[in-house]
Amino acid sequence: MSEENRRIFSKIAKNYDAVNTIISMGMDKDWRKRVAELSLEGKGSMILDAATGTAEIPIAISKKADEKHIKVRITGIDFTNGMLEVGRKKIKELGIGNVKLQNGDALRMKFKSNTFDSITSGFALRNFDSLDKFFKESYRVLKPGGRIAFLDAGKPGTKFDFVYWFYYNTFFPLVGMIYSRHAYSWLRSSVWRFDKSRAAELARKAGFKEVSIENLSGGVAFIIKGRK
């Protein structure tokens, strides 16, 4: 990711979770639970969360694994230390012992090939400088038969897009006035520009099979799923 992205996410790290919940009207928690369910459908126990931010997805996976009595080891990587600091604090407060966070670039992962049984990410696809590189790296470090579940936000792609456009162009600026005008203006435009169909095609070109898009909450969020 670029230094500009690092700067933006460093600036909003402390408020990132609260703002996500406000913008999504609380639906983001259910979206992450769905990612957690998908990550645990395989037989393996090694899970990677790329561009983990404040570790919301690793935490969701850990909780879901406890519910299902599944033993897992979850690694979260992010290149923004401010985000990782928030994540580590939450993990410590919750007493979670099966999540490890470390600094790392999702486009240049320092893991051996065929390491993980599942790879997840949340709200990161539209922020990568090269989505193609991310999918290729994910394919490399995923074990054969492993699965991906990448959550993000985008246009629903329905006749109600104008409602979505109105919401994002009135509510996002208000959030920006409170937290960071530049950062949330940039995030708003990235949501509106993102093409989830093209992203799914890039996943296929990287080698993934059974690639599909699971729309959530009418399409305002989605998960790109696939297998190696």
Side-chain angles (χ1 to χ4, degrees):
M1 286 189 179
S2 68
E3 286 302 317
E4 174 67 8
N5 284 356
R6 191 195 303 269
R7 187 187 66 78
I8 287 173
F9 283 100
S10 294
K11 190 171 184 178
I12 64 177
K14 291 182 179 179
N15 301 309
Y16 185 73
D17 292 338
V19 172
N20 270 346
T21 300
I22 292 169
I23 291 172
S24 69
M25 295 183 286
M27 294 185 290
D28 60 315
K29 297 184 185 300
D30 289 332
W31 300 340
R32 291 190 184 92
K33 287 179 182 178
R34 177 57 181 153
V35 172
E37 290 172 355
L38 291 169
S39 74
L40 295 171
E41 286 184 0
K43 296 180 180 179
S45 62
M46 294 288 290
I47 299 174
L48 172 68
D49 187 51
T52 194
T54 61
E56 282 289 284
I57 286 181
I59 290 169
I61 295 172
S62 180
K63 289 180 178 179
K64 182 61 67 174
D66 283 347
E67 290 176 12
K68 294 178 175 288
H69 306 291
I70 299 172
K71 291 184 178 180
V72 295
R73 285 181 290 173
I74 309 155
T75 300
I77 62 170
D78 201 280
F79 79 154
T80 306
N81 287 324
M83 288 283 196
L84 292 173
E85 288 173 8
V86 174
R88 289 186 180 112
K89 182 179 179 181
K90 290 192 297 185
I91 289 167
K92 183 177 180 180
E93 290 175 349
L94 291 169
I96 294 174
N98 58 355
V99 175
K100 178 183 178 181
L101 303 184
Q102 60 190 62
N103 189 282
D105 189 342
L107 304 186
R108 301 170 186 83
M109 299 187 201
K110 296 180 180 179
F111 302 111
K112 294 180 180 179
S113 299
N114 308 314
T115 296
F116 297 98
D117 300 290
S118 296
I119 302 178
T120 61
S121 73
F123 308 111
L125 297 181
R126 57 197 155 81
N127 299 318
F128 289 128
D129 295 331
S130 173
L131 196 52
D132 181 54
K133 284 184 180 179
F134 172 65
F135 284 129
K136 288 179 179 177
E137 272 292 87
S138 296
Y139 188 86
R140 181 183 66 80
V141 301
L142 189 66
K143 292 179 182 177
R147 63 176 62 234
I148 56 171
F150 299 146
L151 167 69
D152 217 316
K155 291 185 295 185
T158 70
K159 62 182 179 180
F160 298 109
D161 271 4
F162 72 94
V163 177
Y164 184 80
W165 181 90
F166 178 78
Y167 175 77
Y168 267 81
N169 281 278
T170 54
F171 196 62
F172 254 87
L174 292 176
V175 172
M177 289 174 65
I178 299 171
Y179 297 104
S180 171
R181 184 185 300 273
H182 172 67
Y184 285 98
S185 174
W186 180 81
L187 289 171
R188 176 189 63 183
S189 63
S190 72
V191 169
W192 193 251
R193 294 193 311 265
F194 192 78
D195 185 341
K196 55 190 173 185
S197 295
R198 176 181 174 275
E201 185 57 33
L202 287 175
R204 294 185 187 97
K205 288 182 178 179
F208 289 104
K209 307 299 182 184
E210 302 174 26
V211 176
S212 63
I213 298 172
E214 180 177 326
N215 287 311
L216 306 170
S217 304
V220 298
F222 63 90
I223 299 172
I224 292 181
K225 304 182 293 184
R227 284 184 179 275
K228 179 173 177 178

